[in-house]
Amino acid sequence: MNKTYLKLSLDLDFVLIAITASLKDYVLCHQINTRLNLNFEKAEDHEVFFNVDEAPLAFSKYYFYVEQGDNDFFILGNRSSEGFLIPEMNKVDYFMIIQGYIDKEDLNYIISGLNKLPDIQVAAQIDPFKLKSNENLVI
């Protein structure tokens, strides 16, 4: 009998920014909205199943859409009461995901704007392909 193998590949076609800030999610989004002229709003939590026979873990999620560039912006919390969204990045508090094309100038504006916020320790771009738990970031 012939065996057929199914090879799955994740759609990781997005920009990932790791943010370290000891702020509540709504305070962080308010500061980002004010500083960078964005309009993040609370969305339904991002749920991830770590084990089939256990309930999913919920992580806070905020959403903003830009019609001009057809970009989706998300801010995901990395911590929940039971664990981390990306366990190997346990020092990171939030992730910003930008789906759609964004040029280097706009990306640098966002990263430098995040780093200028006094309550953000660091904001840096990360390659999602280098993360072991990158499947948890698929929205």
Side-chain angles (χ1 to χ4, degrees):
M1 178 186 238
N2 291 338
K3 291 185 179 181
T4 304
Y5 294 96
L6 179 63
K7 184 177 180 180
L8 297 175
S9 63
L10 296 174
D11 182 18
L12 299 176
D13 187 23
F14 55 79
V15 174
L16 181 64
I17 300 171
I19 301 171
T20 303
S22 57
L23 296 171
K24 297 281 188 187
D25 52 3
Y26 58 90
V27 175
L28 175 71
C29 287
H30 175 71
Q31 287 186 8
I32 291 172
N33 287 345
T34 304
R35 174 73 182 185
L36 299 177
N37 259 354
L38 301 178
N39 193 20
F40 280 100
E41 294 180 358
K42 179 76 172 136
E44 195 171 307
D45 284 348
H46 181 63
E47 293 185 339
V48 178
F49 288 89
F50 286 98
N51 293 313
V52 176
D53 54 339
E54 292 180 12
L57 296 183
F59 299 91
S60 67
K61 179 170 70 173
Y62 288 77
Y63 176 71
F64 173 60
Y65 176 70
V66 178
E67 282 187 40
Q68 294 170 337
D70 197 29
N71 295 94
D72 293 304
F73 288 76
F74 296 93
I75 292 182
L76 296 176
N78 190 35
R79 302 171 193 269
S80 79
S81 57
E82 287 108 26
F84 292 95
L85 179 65
I86 306 294
E88 63 268 24
M89 300 284 294
N90 60 5
K91 302 284 189 234
V92 172
D93 297 305
Y94 299 97
F95 291 101
M96 181 183 283
I97 296 174
I98 304 171
Q99 294 177 333
Y101 174 76
I102 184 165
D103 64 21
K104 284 287 185 195
E105 185 179 314
D106 291 339
L107 181 60
N108 289 337
Y109 170 78
I110 290 171
I111 293 173
S112 67
L114 289 171
N115 281 313
K116 287 178 184 173
L117 288 171
D119 294 316
I120 292 181
Q121 284 80 28
V122 67
Q125 184 176 357
I126 297 177
D127 183 1
F129 289 99
K130 293 184 178 179
L131 298 173
K132 285 189 251 179
S133 307
N134 57 13
E135 69 274 0
N136 297 344
L137 294 170
V138 175
I139 297 177

